[in-house]
């Protein structure tokens, strides 16, 4: 089975779990700009045409192991694409940097202290970079997405100083009430579709972090699912894949597109909607895929990861560091990437969609390229015993709660799933805790995605935060998680955190317990509050868990706390909203990579 066929079989899963955006109402729906057909066409382009560091890696042969290598590389690319662009439904870099309480329009020239027009190529590649033209005028297609918060900045733009007759540009005011039709002249929210607040204020100049107060020649902001940023990156795109290649007599998939003359074609082309994918893959190839420094090679580590059973996390963590910081290794050598845990969970979710979950039978296998193992859809792995509720046990519901030791029973049924990529809302008590990366904390709203397996659901917030945000390396993230998501609000002392290490719930020693008489859905304690369990629709959800010594289960916080502060009284229930599902899309005919017909016959997105 080739990779195109594997992806084609996974089309519905990819569209429902990967190519989804977060709406202003914190719901999830299909992306308006990232589509499966564009992804497939871009893969065809990027496997047939080399850029600076080669082509997009999908394995080096036709056997099953090489296909696994390629799929893992693609999964890593998509995991980072989700975190950086897809979930925000953006292609253009947004105006994200607040400078002295303002969002300068000159952020188009560079954010984070950078100057994009000065991000030039090395001397031996100077001929590739785009020239800076002060007469160029263009405007971004997409803009910042603040979710339910109104006033997100308008799209970036560049123009000569002479356009409006002033030598400077101002800032975006997100708090301005723009819908005032009763004024003379009337005012409307017309900076972008869906705008409800904010406006451009040019009454005073506003400098970005690099001290620019205009947008002349500042047309080189990032574009693409992984942003191609600066005159060198966009110039390379033109040199290898655009008009620059055609003019030099080299093969070009886009011979009439001059990315230097119109960089916004990356995000705005209706005819070639795959360009946003192509630009991102070019950055991935040149930055991550080609990384080979200090004895570490990304591609060699990828192969070790696959041959070793795909079980360790350092592979994807290093990929995140390479993409963001250009380095690898532990925190003493290279700082953790922003959103590293979110990217890792994205990666593991996509691996499941590709049927590439780590399997115990693979742990002892170090396959070579001559391997003849089948690449058919694997049997789902057997879950190890967890220290939290893993399954649903159907039980009757009498009027009282009694703890009994049940006889041996057949394997439990799997946990029912909820909608893919389900968003978070205000947490409600007595549901499993899991990490919400948008809020940077653990929540228990019952809306975890269906790919969040049982090993990532926890009985208390403290355990959830400790599992995900290691105190030794991510102290600020850990403290922010405990306090509710804001690092500035975290006020716990180190001694207070140390006490949490003894509060992880433990299974009842030597016996498996089961509750008879489960109330409605939610977390509940036994009458003595020393143990707790999950109920769902009147049925027990996993095993009874015991709090640590000197701790009792507190219903308000859904966690085990010191017994002197817990009031052990009657129990109340908390209902859970019903899940919804995205409608699966139809599946198009499979696409073969490596065929020139793929480029001419694949229908582009419009």
């Amino acid at each position: 089975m080739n990779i195109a066929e594997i992806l084609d079989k996974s089309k519905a899963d990819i569209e429902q779990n990967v190519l989804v955006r977060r709406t202003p109402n914190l719901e999830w729906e299909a992306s308006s700009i990232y589509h499966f057909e564009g992804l497939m066409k871009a893969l065809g382009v990027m496997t047939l045409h080399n850029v600076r560091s080669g082509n997009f890696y999908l394995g080096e042969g036709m056997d099953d192991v090489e296909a696994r290598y390629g799929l893992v590389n693609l999964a890593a690319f998509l995991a980072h694409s989700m975190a950086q662009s897809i979930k925000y439904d953006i292609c253009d870099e947004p105006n994200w940097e607040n400078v002295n309480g303002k969002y300068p329009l000159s952020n188009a020239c560079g954010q984070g202290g950078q100057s994009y027009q000065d991000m030039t190529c090395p001397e031996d590649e100077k001929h590739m970079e785009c020239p800076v033209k002060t007469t160029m005028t263009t405007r971004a297609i997409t803009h910042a997405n603040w979710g339910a918060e109104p006033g997100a900045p308008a799209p970036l733009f560049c123009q000569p100083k002479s356009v409006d007759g002033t030598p400077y540009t101002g800032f975006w005011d997100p708090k301005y009430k723009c819908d005032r039709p009763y004024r003379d002249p009337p005012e409307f929210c017309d900076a972008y579709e869906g705008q409800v607040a904010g406006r451009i204020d040019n009454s005073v100049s506003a400098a970005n972090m690099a001290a620019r107060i205009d947008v002349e020649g500042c047309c080189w902001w990032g574009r693409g699912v992984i942003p191609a940023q600066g005159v060198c990156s966009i110039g390379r795109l033109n040199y290898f894949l655009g008009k620059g290649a055609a003019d030099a007599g080299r093969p070009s998939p886009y011979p009439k597109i001059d990315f230097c003359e119109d960089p916004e074609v990356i995000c705005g082309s209706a005819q070639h909607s795959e360009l946003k994918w192509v630009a991102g893959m070019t950055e991935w190839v040149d930055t991550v895929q080609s990384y080979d420094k200090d004895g570490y090679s990304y591609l060699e580590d990828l192969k070790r990861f696959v041959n070793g059973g795909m079980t360790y996390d350092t592979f994807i963590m290093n990929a995140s560091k390479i993409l963001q910081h250009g380095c690898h290794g532990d925190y003493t050598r290279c700082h953790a990437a922003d959103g590293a845990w979110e990217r890792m969970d994205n990666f593991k979710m996509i691996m499941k969609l590709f049927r590439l979950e780590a399997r115990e039978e693979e742990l002892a296998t170090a396959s070579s390229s001559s391997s003849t193992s089948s690449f058919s859809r694997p049997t789902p792995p057997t879950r190890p015993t967890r220290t939290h509720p893993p399954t649903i046990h159907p039980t009757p519901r009498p009027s009282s709660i009694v703890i009994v030791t049940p006889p041996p029973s057949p394997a439990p049924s799997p946990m029912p799933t909820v909608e893919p990529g389900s968003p978070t809302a205000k947490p409600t008590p007595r549901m499993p805790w899991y990490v919400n990366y948008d809020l940077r904390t653990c929540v228990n709203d019952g809306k975890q995605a269906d790919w969040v397996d049982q090993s990532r659901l926890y009985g208390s917030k403290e355990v959830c935060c400790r599992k995900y945000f290691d105190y030794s390396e991510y102290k600020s993230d850990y403290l922010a998680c405990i306090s509710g998501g804001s690092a500035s609000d975290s006020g716990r002392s180190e001694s207070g955190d140390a006490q949490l290490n003894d509060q992880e719930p433990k299974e009842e020693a030597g016996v498996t317990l089961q509750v008879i008489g489960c109330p409605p859905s939610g977390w509940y304690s036994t009458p003595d509050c020393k143990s707790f369990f999950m109920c769902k629709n009147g049925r027990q959800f996993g095993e009874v868990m015991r709090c640590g010594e000197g701790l009792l289960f507190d219903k308000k916080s859904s966690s085990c706390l010191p017994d002197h502060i817990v009031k052990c009284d009657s129990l109340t229930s908390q209902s859970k909203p019903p899940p919804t599902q995205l409608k699966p899309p139809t599946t198009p005919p499979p696409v073969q990579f490596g065929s020139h017909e793929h480029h001419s016959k694949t229908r582009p997105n419009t």
Side-chain angles (χ1 to χ4, degrees), residues 559-579:
S559 60
C560 295
L561 299 177
D563 52 13
H564 66 278
I565 64 172
V566 176
K567 182 180 180 181
C568 189
D569 53 11
S570 60
L571 307 176
T572 58
S573 66
Q574 174 67 41
S575 62
K576 177 179 178 179

Side-chain angles (χ1 to χ4, degrees), residues 63-77:
D63 61 40
D64 296 342
V65 174
E66 292 293 338
R68 287 174 184 258
Y69 293 159
L71 287 172
V72 168
N73 186 49
L74 178 59
F77 166 77

Side-chain angles (χ1 to χ4, degrees), residues 256-324:
K256 296 183 179 180
I257 296 180
D258 192 329
F259 293 95
C260 290
E261 287 293 326
D262 182 15
E264 195 56 31
V265 71
I266 296 171
C267 298
S269 175
Q271 181 182 1
H272 298 291
S273 61
E274 76 279 2
L275 286 177
K276 55 183 71 70
W277 290 105
V278 170
M281 290 178 186
T282 300
E283 286 300 296
W284 183 262
V285 171
D286 286 345
T287 304
V288 179
Q289 195 176 287
S290 62
Y291 185 87
D292 190 351
K293 293 181 182 179
D294 301 326
Y296 177 89
S297 165
Y298 166 80
L299 286 180
E300 290 303 314
D301 194 26
L302 182 153
K303 294 175 182 179
R304 285 193 297 270
F305 174 74
V306 173
N307 295 340
M310 299 177 284
T311 57
Y312 59 87
D313 295 335
T314 54
F315 163 70
I316 191 62
M317 299 295 266
N318 272 327
S320 300
K321 293 178 180 181
I322 293 168
L323 182 62
Q324 284 194 12

Side-chain angles (χ1 to χ4, degrees), residues 21-41:
R21 65 177 179 177
R22 185 183 61 186
T23 69
N25 295 325
L26 294 181
E27 297 176 347
W28 294 88
E29 64 184 19
S31 170
S32 67
I33 61 175
Y34 292 106
H35 307 290
F36 183 81
E37 291 78 9
L39 169 63
M40 295 292 281
K41 188 171 182 180

Side-chain angles (χ1 to χ4, degrees), residues 337-515:
D338 294 336
W341 295 98
E342 176 185 7
R343 295 162 192 258
M344 183 179 71
D345 270 2
N346 288 346
F347 175 68
K348 292 183 177 182
M349 177 268 292
I350 297 169
M351 293 279 284
K352 289 184 179 181
L353 299 186
F354 290 168
R355 314 297 188 261
L356 291 175
E357 303 99 324
R359 293 181 291 173
E360 291 187 7
E361 61 266 27
E362 292 175 318
L363 296 179
T365 303
S367 301
S368 65
S369 58
S370 60
S371 172
T372 58
S373 61
S374 173
F375 194 55
S376 59
R377 179 172 178 169
T379 303
T382 302
R383 299 290 184 193
T385 302
R386 307 295 184 190
T387 58
H388 53 75
T391 53
I392 293 179
H393 298 269
T395 56
R397 186 183 175 188
S399 57
S400 60
I401 297 178
V402 183
I403 299 180
V404 298
T405 302
S409 59
S413 58
M415 173 185 175
T417 60
V418 299
E419 72 174 286
S422 180
T424 59
K426 183 177 180 180
T428 55
R430 302 174 194 86
M431 294 293 175
W433 293 84
Y434 68 98
V435 174
N436 176 276
Y437 297 100
D438 291 325
L439 302 178
R440 296 189 63 78
T441 187
C442 289
V443 297
N444 62 336
D445 55 13
K447 294 185 178 180
Q448 63 272 12
D450 63 350
W451 49 265
V452 178
D453 62 29
Q454 300 301 298
S455 65
R456 297 187 180 278
L457 299 178
Y458 303 96
S460 70
K461 185 174 184 179
E462 289 82 359
V463 174
C464 176
C465 291
R466 187 163 66 251
K467 292 286 187 181
Y468 270 83
F469 303 108
D470 180 65
Y471 186 87
S472 62
E473 183 171 356
Y474 305 101
K475 178 178 178 179
S476 61
D477 288 336
Y478 172 79
L479 295 177
C481 179
I482 290 293
S483 66
S486 174
S488 62
D489 295 334
S490 59
R492 287 180 176 265
S493 64
E494 294 191 18
S495 60
D497 292 313
Q499 294 175 0
L500 297 175
N501 294 331
D502 298 326
Q503 294 187 17
E504 184 169 0
K506 303 176 182 178
E507 290 187 19
E508 294 278 7
V511 64
T512 300
L513 300 177
Q514 187 175 359
V515 172

Side-chain angles (χ1 to χ4, degrees), residues 134-169:
T134 59
T135 57
M136 184 181 293
T137 299
T138 190
R139 178 183 173 87
I141 301 295
T142 61
H143 57 85
N145 180 351
W146 285 2
E149 186 71 20
L156 297 174
F157 68 93
C158 65
Q159 65 184 29
K161 297 177 184 178
S162 59
V163 168
D164 53 15
T166 59
Y168 61 83
T169 51

